[in-house]
Amino acid sequence: MSLSTLKKKYIDFKLVLLLAGFYLLFDLVLLVKVSYMRQYMPREDHFVWSDFLINNLLFDYIIVVSYMTLIAISTKRFLNKNYSWVKIIFIHTIFSILIGLIIRFIFDFYAILIGRIELADFNLRKSINAFIYVIDLNFLIYFAMVFIIYTYYYLKQVKEAEKRHSKLESQLVNTRMKMLSSQLQPHFLFNTLNSIAVLTDMDTAKAKDTIADLSDFLREILYNSDRNRISLDEELRILEYYLNIVNVRFSDHLSIKKEIDDSLLLRKVPAMLLQPVIENSIKHGYSYEHTDLNILVSVYEEDKMLVIKVENDGAPVSETHAELMQKGVGLKNINDRLYNLYKDNFFFEIRNKKDNSGVETVIKIPE
């Protein structure tokens, strides 16, 4: 991973500026305090403002801001790995003590380096006493800055969640409209209605059933509540309306079977997920060499992931998965919705079977 990628992934410069600003405010308050004490509470000691500003305030400021930047990076990793709060508090308590030790060590090393203190005259006990003297202040400052870090990340996550929710709602509406415009195009409705007209003379009962299926399917698309995820059981029920219509159109040339793990029926899946996948499988599966098509829809659990697989024994695809995403509006929409729901924690691929006996679409989503 490149340095620029690491910076982008772990370093939030707005947060660094926020921490730097907070500690600058602390130093300004300290500066006012020292000014007051020098004016109204004089002490018999050697005090030089330039030495205090450069060798104390500025030096301390650089060390603390650099240290807290590393803490901010570590905190983001803690959040990404879902550490327990007990473990996080324990780690931060250790870090709050370390910051004082590090500052003391650097100050002592710097004093020896510039000759302010001779190495032979260095007093370890005096250095430890200086560390203990401000340990409570270091603890409070550290946790104040950690509070800023967690608040920043929390508010950022809330804003991102709101943005994703808004985008999901918009995408769900767009999905329904795209299904009507691209998957339920006029020729689809025409063919369905034509099939109904033929059935009216041949099988009146089946014609009525097809009309009912078409009505229910359109009602689900147009008037169902705009939910991003529904139960697998409900998704399969909506899919059944579509399959009934498709079976009328393709008659004996299409066979669709389902292998569903019944224990997963209450699991949540993205709404309107299966229909465009199966529609794509039918569209690309038929060819002059494949006039009969068998489709198998499987739903099962694997490694704590819900796996949805749609297989057909039709013509193999010549395009890569990425190329199919660019060509298929419905497929790209599925990919975008999966990303917004699960970020990078999902799998979606269209590929030829290993034995080249057809095409399979595989989707894996978390609980």
Side-chain angles (χ1 to χ4, degrees):
M1 189 179 291
S2 66
L3 182 60
S4 60
T5 304
L6 282 171
K7 287 181 178 179
K8 186 177 180 181
K9 186 174 182 180
Y10 292 114
I11 302 177
D12 192 321
F13 288 102
K14 288 183 179 179
L15 177 56
V16 173
L17 288 174
L18 188 62
L19 294 172
F22 171 81
Y23 201 62
L24 178 61
L25 182 62
F26 171 81
D27 278 349
L28 289 175
V29 173
L30 177 60
L31 191 59
V32 171
K33 171 188 171 182
V34 172
S35 299
Y36 180 89
M37 292 177 68
R38 301 309 304 176
Q39 180 69 30
Y40 300 104
M41 302 169 62
R43 295 171 58 185
E44 294 296 326
D45 60 347
H46 181 68
F47 182 86
V48 180
W49 271 107
S50 60
D51 185 66
F52 173 75
L53 292 174
I54 297 174
N55 295 331
N56 287 77
L57 279 188
L58 182 60
F59 206 33
D60 176 79
Y61 182 84
I62 294 172
I63 295 171
V64 171
V65 172
S66 300
Y67 186 86
M68 293 311 300
T69 298
L70 295 176
I71 296 300
I73 295 172
S74 300
T75 299
K76 191 168 186 179
R77 293 175 67 89
F78 294 163
L79 294 173
N80 290 339
K81 292 185 178 181
N82 294 320
Y83 284 172
S84 67
W85 280 106
V86 174
K87 187 174 183 179
I88 289 174
I89 292 172
F90 175 78
I91 291 173
H92 281 304
T93 301
I94 299 299
F95 283 165
S96 70
I97 297 172
L98 281 177
I99 188 173
L101 290 172
I102 291 171
I103 292 173
R104 191 70 261 156
F105 171 79
I106 293 176
F107 267 85
D108 290 342
F109 179 79
Y110 178 73
I112 294 171
L113 191 66
I114 65 175
R116 185 187 299 172
I117 301 174
E118 294 296 329
L119 183 60
D121 297 330
F122 176 72
N123 189 323
L124 180 61
R125 171 57 60 187
K126 185 178 179 181
S127 182
I128 292 175
N129 291 342
F131 159 70
I132 296 296
Y133 184 76
V134 294
I135 190 172
D136 54 342
L137 183 60
N138 288 336
F139 181 88
L140 291 174
I141 292 173
Y142 177 89
F143 273 94
M145 297 181 81
V146 166
F147 177 78
I148 291 174
I149 292 171
Y150 276 94
T151 302
Y152 178 87
Y153 283 138
Y154 173 78
L155 293 176
K156 189 174 181 180
Q157 288 178 349
V158 169
K159 288 181 180 179
E160 288 177 352
E162 290 175 350
K163 188 183 295 184
R164 285 199 302 268
H165 179 74
S166 177
K167 189 173 181 180
L168 280 168
E169 292 295 336
S170 176
Q171 283 190 332
L172 188 57
V173 173
N174 289 337
T175 299
R176 297 180 191 280
M177 298 312 295
K178 285 176 181 177
M179 286 175 66
L180 286 175
S181 61
S182 64
Q183 294 156 8
L184 291 178
Q185 295 171 355
H187 73 265
F188 172 85
L189 290 175
F190 174 79
N191 290 335
T192 303
L193 293 173
N194 186 55
S195 298
I196 293 171
V198 173
L199 285 173
T200 302
D201 295 327
M202 299 174 55
D203 192 336
T204 305
K206 194 170 185 179
K208 291 180 179 180
D209 290 340
T210 305
I211 292 172
D213 289 328
L214 180 60
S215 175
D216 290 335
F217 185 57
L218 292 174
R219 184 182 299 110
E220 292 289 350
I221 296 174
L222 291 171
Y223 302 115
N224 194 27
S225 60
D226 290 336
R227 289 173 293 166
N228 294 320
R229 297 197 299 169
I230 59 177
S231 67
L232 175 62
D233 185 45
E234 188 173 357
E235 176 75 3
L236 292 171
R237 177 177 58 79
I238 296 172
L239 177 66
E240 200 62 33
Y241 301 140
Y242 175 77
L243 296 182
N244 290 340
I245 296 168
V246 169
N247 281 324
V248 171
R249 287 182 54 197
F250 292 95
S251 188
D252 297 332
H253 296 286
L254 176 66
S255 173
I256 300 178
K257 295 181 179 180
K258 296 189 285 290
E259 292 182 357
I260 312 296
D261 185 343
D262 291 340
S263 65
L264 304 173
L265 291 177
L266 296 180
R267 289 277 290 272
K268 296 293 184 180
V269 299
M272 305 294 180
L273 177 66
L274 283 169
Q275 187 276 333
V277 173
I278 293 177
E279 197 273 344
N280 182 73
S281 186
I282 295 172
K283 178 181 177 181
H284 293 285
Y286 277 111
S287 67
Y288 289 112
E289 293 79 18
H290 298 83
T291 55
D292 292 310
L293 190 67
N294 295 297
I295 293 178
L296 175 63
V297 181
S298 305
V299 181
Y300 55 93
E301 189 174 33
E302 182 179 82
D303 297 329
K304 296 184 179 180
M305 298 283 279
L306 182 70
V307 182
I308 299 172
K309 183 185 291 187
V310 177
E311 307 171 66
N312 70 50
D313 60 353
V317 293
S318 57
E319 299 97 335
T320 64
H321 176 78
E323 290 171 340
L324 289 171
M325 288 298 103
Q326 294 297 323
K327 291 175 61 177
V329 176
L331 296 177
K332 186 177 184 303
N333 186 273
I334 289 175
N335 191 75
D336 290 344
R337 291 174 60 211
L338 288 172
Y339 177 78
N340 280 285
L341 278 170
Y342 308 110
K343 300 299 287 181
D344 293 321
N345 191 25
F346 76 93
F347 178 85
F348 177 35
E349 185 176 13
I350 302 171
R351 63 200 181 197
N352 292 321
K353 291 184 178 181
K354 292 181 179 179
D355 59 3
N356 212 34
S357 62
V359 179
E360 61 183 10
T361 300
V362 181
I363 298 174
K364 297 180 182 180
I365 56 177
E367 296 183 6

